Amino acid sequence: MKHPLDPLLRPKSVAVVGASAREDSMGEWSLVNLERGGFGGNIYPVNPGYEELRGLRCYARLEELPETPDLVVFAIGDQHLEQALDAAVARSVPAAVLMSTLYLDEDGDPPLRERVRQKIHDSGMLVCGANGMGFYNFRDRVWAIGFDSRLHPEGGKVTLISHSGSGMCGIVDCEERIRFNLAVSTGNELGVRMDQYLDFALDLPETKVVGLFIETARDPQAFRAALDKARRKNVPVVALKVGRTRKSAELTVSHSGAMAGEDSTYEALFDYYGVHRVRDMDEMATALILFSELNPLGDGGLVTLHDSGGERQLMVDLADEAGVPLTELAADTVSALEEVLDPELPAVNPLDAWSRGGSTARRQMSDCLSIMMRDPGAAIGGIIHDRAPDGRIYASYVGYMKDARRASGKPVALAASRQGTGADPLVVEATHAGFPVLDGVVPFLRGIRGLMDYRDFLKRPALGAPAAPQAAIAGWRDRLAARSLDEAESLELLRDFGIAANEAVIVESEEQLQRAAGSLGFPLALKTAMPGIAHKSELRGVYLHLGDIAGAVEAYRELKERLGARASLAPMVRGGIEMMLGARRDPQFGPVVLLGFGGVLAEAIGDVVTALPPFDASYARRRLDELKLQSLLHGFRGGPAADIEAFCALAARFSTMIDALRDHIEEVDVNPVIVGGDECIAVDALVIGRNSTEDNPI
């Protein structure tokens, strides 16, 4: 199948500008790697200092080549790069690899990187880099990389795309258990972006899982489209996203030339597309092994076999921390185990099956694992054993796995309680045979959690967000033009989109207050509605439970004297749990929705989740279940349960509104939303229009 990136990733001819015989230089490795990878097309070394390199004629300039190469690998210093790039553009070379940093000590304005970026843009050249390490297309035998590398077997099914060069090589060159078909160090992405490489990888028929080491998405919508393609093809994506902390995000600016983006938005993005997020390189490697060798996973939990009581107990703690369910064994399974185990060993999962040892111990261990994996509640099995001396594994461990899979038809893996010291060929052999051997219980458990999450993601029904009323969309687009709405208007906007919201009346005099109070009825809430005031409570701008006209007038006089005459009057809403809905504009992905606990302590509690709009009520409920305090919604210590389904339906309509007005809304705060046992209503709201010229509200 043809792909737009073919000239870059599947070239028929390659020129190496700066090719060299100097040992351990980029120019030498660029040539050596093309040979080691088995590249079958023409290779043209370019360097005026040589007539021949590695048995190949060496050309002084690109202009002298007998054909225009599909790909040029630039293995030269930045002081020579611009001139060489100009020659490649003049020759209409379609693709290039730039590995240098594009930085000159005494540079002009604009700097070299911007000049090169503009040349790439104007020429339409497909460029990998700069400030990267190139790429490996193992399946098509193109190793366009200027650094030393190990030999790699054929038949890979894992793709790794990394903004970090070391993030790529640290796994590709150091992890023999993973067989790759494609690995790319994207660098600064002056030409080709991560989403384009991902699109290419998803068209490779053998791609079973893709790993991303991501700093930022330079084309957010194209990145979403690529993730959606992975979802449609049922190809899991594992992501190591850096920039979780503010300091890390700032470092991303200097490293890759783009902001890392709001981390909560990436959390929502990954959840939306079923991406498994890992925390470090160990977890990345483990997840890629598990997804490539054991996915898909059936229903049920994890069963584990141990030869240590202490390590069995540790598994219980670590599995709970990782959110991995341990299978509660069925009665028949327990009975079968009791017939095999030494009598002093309890027949439970996790299972310590080693007590007295002896000649029958290994057979006993194997039988116990097979029995547990036949349990109807077991989705996957794990053997948790320490490595043997010198970091090796015993062949009997692999025997346990093979016996158990034959007996159950289910996947099984071996995880060392800690990292082994040294290598063992049996580890690689067993992993490639579909019996992964892994290092560390925590990365193993988080990888298992990823398998289970992806299994559950594939079962999710398609989103069915409610339709937005067209009349409301048309009417509010004009009203939102570059301005903010007051509380009454904001609540009106919500009601027009089918969202239950309190009815506030704006008053600017005592006479208006008295007329409004007579029509609304008591008790009432009075709040300042002066322009520029968003956080009313902090300025004592809210009066609640006003039970009669005298109290309302007195409260209004006080409010008018301190903050101004403009105020809103609304009926009090019966008690319930205070929740909030919000929306903000992410600088990369546009509007995102926030759901969580609200009220005056909303910022102090900070218990919110982020979601990409639009979504339906079932998706809102699933995200809501991730709140740390979500148990409060179910009736805490005898209190009444909140109508969660009503809140989720309201949140879904809110998400539709945000999506429909995405180009016209900058920020929305609906707080509180009172969620009672039989009522769910928005009480207060603030809407800021896109590109509002008003002063920032205080």
Side-chain angles (χ1 to χ4, degrees):
M1 178 184 298
K2 289 187 177 181
H3 192 276
L5 297 189
D6 280 352
L8 174 65
L9 300 178
R10 285 194 279 236
K12 295 180 173 61
S13 56
V14 179
V16 179
V17 175
S20 175
R22 183 163 55 87
E23 187 175 356
D24 204 30
S25 66
M26 186 183 295
E28 182 194 43
W29 278 114
S30 296
L31 274 181
V32 169
N33 283 328
L34 286 168
E35 294 178 356
R36 294 177 76 191
F39 181 67
N42 292 327
I43 301 175
Y44 299 109
V46 179
N47 189 328
Y50 300 92
E51 293 185 358
E52 182 180 293
L53 281 170
R54 305 187 68 81
L56 299 170
R57 178 185 171 184
C58 190
Y59 295 83
R61 300 182 306 152
L62 273 174
E63 293 87 339
E64 297 178 7
L65 300 187
E67 63 174 324
T68 298
D70 288 336
L71 174 66
V72 171
V73 177
F74 289 104
I76 54 178
D78 286 330
Q79 65 272 25
H80 304 297
L81 189 282
E82 192 169 12
Q83 182 179 359
L85 179 61
D86 287 340
V89 171
R91 189 75 192 260
S92 300
V93 173
V97 173
L98 299 179
M99 291 174 278
S100 60
T101 60
L102 299 185
Y103 181 84
L104 298 174
D105 290 334
E106 297 182 5
D107 202 356
D109 187 24
L112 176 62
R113 179 178 295 182
E114 295 309 312
R115 299 198 300 271
V116 168
R117 186 195 304 274
Q118 190 63 50
K119 293 175 190 291
I120 292 170
H121 177 270
D122 293 345
S123 66
M125 183 182 289
L126 299 170
V127 173
C128 178
N131 196 25
M133 298 182 76
F135 69 86
Y136 301 90
N137 181 353
F138 296 112
R139 74 183 305 275
D140 295 306
R141 301 178 179 274
V142 185
W143 294 19
I145 187 162
F147 305 89
D148 62 334
S149 181
R150 68 178 177 90
L151 294 174
H152 294 268
E154 297 181 12
K157 49 191 173 183
V158 178
T159 292
L160 178 61
I161 307 168
S162 175
H163 282 137
S164 165
S166 295
M168 177 190 76
C169 292
I171 293 179
V172 171
D173 285 328
C174 304
E175 183 51 81
E176 295 179 74
R177 286 169 288 190
I178 304 176
R179 291 172 290 182
F180 294 94
N181 61 354
L182 176 68
V184 184
S185 166
T186 70
N188 293 138
E189 297 184 350
L190 298 188
V192 181
R193 304 179 307 270
M194 177 174 280
D195 58 89
Q196 295 170 285
Y197 294 114
L198 176 55
D199 184 85
F200 178 91
L202 293 171
D203 282 347
L204 302 179
E206 70 278 1
T207 301
K208 195 171 181 183
V209 59
V210 178
L212 304 178
F213 188 121
I214 176 173
E215 294 175 346
T216 189
R218 288 181 174 81
D219 187 331
Q221 298 313 311
F223 188 59
R224 288 190 67 170
L227 292 180
D228 188 62
K229 182 174 180 176
R231 176 174 62 177
R232 287 183 279 108
K233 285 179 166 282
N234 290 347
V235 175
V237 176
V238 177
L240 174 54
K241 171 66 176 72
V242 298
R244 292 194 301 268
T245 63
R246 183 176 298 276
K247 182 63 175 177
S248 176
E250 290 171 356
L251 291 173
T252 300
V253 176
S254 62
H255 186 251
S256 68
M259 285 301 296
E262 290 283 349
D263 193 68
S264 61
T265 303
Y266 278 92
E267 286 281 3
L269 178 78
F270 294 158
D271 181 84
Y272 194 91
Y273 292 104
V275 175
H276 174 54
R277 186 173 187 175
V278 296
R279 299 175 298 183
D280 57 30
M281 301 277 281
D282 285 338
E283 289 184 7
M284 168 72 87
T286 298
L288 292 178
I289 292 170
L290 288 170
F291 272 104
S292 64
E293 301 296 342
L294 299 185
N295 187 55
L297 203 65
D299 292 333
L302 171 68
V303 295
T304 59
L305 177 74
H306 303 257
D307 57 6
S308 163
E311 290 181 358
R312 178 196 65 179
Q313 292 171 268
L314 180 60
M315 169 58 72
V316 175
D317 296 336
L318 295 178
D320 178 73
E321 185 179 279
V324 173
L326 296 171
T327 300
E328 189 74 27
L329 299 177
D332 290 347
T333 304
V334 172
S335 297
L337 287 173
E338 289 174 342
E339 293 181 8
V340 177
L341 286 168
D342 293 328
E344 65 272 18
L345 294 173
V348 296
N349 176 45
L351 178 67
D352 173 14
W354 186 283
S355 178
R356 304 177 189 182
S359 60
T360 63
R362 296 190 185 281
R363 182 72 260 164
Q364 177 175 290
M365 297 282 284
S366 181
D367 290 345
C368 286
L369 180 62
S370 296
I371 291 169
M372 284 199 297
M373 288 186 61
R374 286 198 296 265
D375 190 281
I380 186 170
I383 301 171
I384 314 300
H385 285 350
D386 296 309
R387 288 285 191 102
D390 298 319
R392 304 180 75 83
I393 64 167
Y394 294 110
S396 58
Y397 297 171
V398 180
Y400 301 166
M401 291 193 284
K402 291 181 177 179
D403 290 345
R405 190 161 76 179
R406 277 194 297 267
S408 66
K410 299 173 184 176
V412 58
L414 167 66
S417 297
R418 64 175 304 277
Q419 172 75 34
T421 57
D424 184 350
L426 183 56
V427 169
V428 178
E429 179 185 333
T431 300
H432 290 177
F435 299 98
V437 180
L438 307 161
D439 299 308
V441 175
V442 172
F444 165 74
L445 287 170
R446 286 186 61 83
I448 296 299
R449 181 68 263 171
L451 288 176
M452 292 179 173
D453 286 343
Y454 189 70
R455 172 197 66 193
D456 298 340
F457 169 77
L458 294 178
K459 294 179 180 178
R460 288 188 207 168
L463 291 178
Q470 294 301 310
I473 296 173
W476 281 100
R477 281 175 176 167
D478 292 335
R479 293 180 66 177
L480 282 165
R483 75 182 188 93
S484 299
L485 307 182
D486 60 28
E487 178 184 345
E489 289 178 302
S490 297
L491 292 172
E492 180 188 356
L493 167 65
L494 297 180
R495 290 193 297 272
D496 282 355
F497 278 84
I499 299 166
N502 208 10
E503 186 165 355
V505 177
I506 297 296
V507 298
E508 297 188 89
S509 67
E510 287 188 24
E511 293 75 14
Q512 292 178 359
L513 175 83
Q514 293 183 26
R515 286 197 300 271
S519 63
L520 294 173
F522 293 94
L524 292 170
L526 178 70
K527 306 173 190 177
T528 180
M530 292 299 295
I533 298 179
H535 302 293
K536 308 177 184 71
S537 298
E538 295 177 8
L539 299 178
R540 294 186 296 114
V542 178
Y543 294 79
L544 303 177
H545 304 290
L546 302 175
D548 54 40
I549 192 65
V553 170
E554 181 181 357
Y556 178 75
R557 288 172 178 171
E558 293 179 6
L559 192 64
K560 177 181 178 181
E561 182 178 349
R562 288 189 301 106
L563 298 177
R566 197 168 193 271
S568 69
L569 196 65
M572 286 293 300
V573 177
R574 288 180 295 172
I577 294 178
E578 293 186 335
M579 303 293 289
M580 64 83 66
L581 289 169
R584 60 173 175 76
R585 177 168 293 278
D586 182 85
Q588 291 185 308
F589 294 95
V592 294
V593 171
L594 290 78
L595 308 86
F597 286 94
V600 294
L601 296 178
E603 292 184 17
I605 296 173
D607 195 5
V608 298
V609 292
T610 306
L612 297 181
F615 49 79
D616 56 20
S618 63
Y619 185 82
R621 176 58 187 267
R622 202 183 62 75
R623 294 295 282 156
L624 212 62
D625 286 343
E626 296 179 20
L627 294 173
K628 294 185 286 291
L629 302 178
Q630 57 92 18
S631 60
L632 296 178
L633 299 172
H634 303 286
F636 186 69
R637 291 194 172 183
D643 190 345
I644 302 174
E645 301 308 322
F647 178 75
C648 291
L650 185 147
R653 288 191 287 273
F654 179 78
S655 79
T656 299
M657 179 190 81
I658 296 301
D659 186 62
L661 299 174
R662 61 172 41 246
D663 295 328
H664 305 274
I665 287 179
E666 187 68 28
E667 186 177 346
V668 179
D669 183 24
V670 183
N671 182 27
V673 178
I674 304 297
V675 187
D678 56 0
E679 184 179 32
C680 178
I681 185 169
V683 174
D684 198 351
L686 172 68
V687 178
I688 299 175
R690 184 92 188 272
N691 300 321
S692 174
T693 58
E694 298 178 18
D695 293 337
N696 290 329
I698 60 174

